Amino acid sequence: MPDAAQPAALILRRALLWHERAAGLLRGPPLLPGHGLWIARCRAVHTIGMRYPIAVFFLNENDLVTSARGVVRPYSWAIDHAAVSVIETLEVKAGDLCPAIARVEQSVLLARGSR
């Protein structure tokens, strides 16, 4: 049983190469609950061509969330000029945003070993 103080980690797919970052979530099947895409060297994302809203978490150089957009609807943009990478996941309701940030940060900590 997971500890309530430690959020369950997301399963992150990493987009490191240019073509992986450019394609983002447009290629492949839709995200499943508990999954996300970690895009390296990224400060902005668009949802042009997307069929569902997503949540976007902007990370700093220490892999901590510096800003978050709980709902980014199809055919829109999200940007944070100070970010160095982004995690995209399924949309998050406003009341769930803080736990979602903790979950993203926990997920990044677990994924760091795979760099």
Side-chain angles (χ1 to χ4, degrees):
M1 174 175 271
D3 181 357
Q6 289 290 346
L10 295 168
I11 297 170
L12 295 175
R13 181 171 52 104
R14 300 197 60 211
L16 298 171
L17 303 174
W18 182 89
H19 66 279
E20 295 170 331
R21 295 190 333 262
L25 293 174
L26 292 173
R27 304 243 180 206
L31 282 176
L32 297 172
H35 288 71
L37 177 65
W38 185 359
I39 305 174
R41 298 180 305 280
C42 180
R43 294 185 172 127
V45 297
H46 70 80
T47 55
I48 297 168
M50 296 289 297
R51 289 182 236 147
Y52 56 93
I54 60 172
V56 178
F57 299 88
F58 294 96
L59 308 176
N60 66 13
E61 62 278 351
N62 297 317
D63 296 330
L64 297 176
V65 176
T66 57
S67 66
R69 311 295 189 279
V71 179
V72 180
R73 300 203 182 285
Y75 294 90
S76 60
W77 290 85
I79 190 165
D80 181 338
H81 293 288
V84 298
S85 64
V86 170
I87 291 181
E88 299 175 340
T89 188
L90 294 177
E91 71 176 295
V92 177
K93 295 181 183 106
D96 296 334
L97 195 54
C98 287
I101 289 171
R103 186 174 187 198
V104 166
E105 289 182 349
Q106 176 70 12
S107 304
V108 171
L109 286 173
L110 293 173
R112 275 187 185 168
S114 63
R115 282 189 183 182

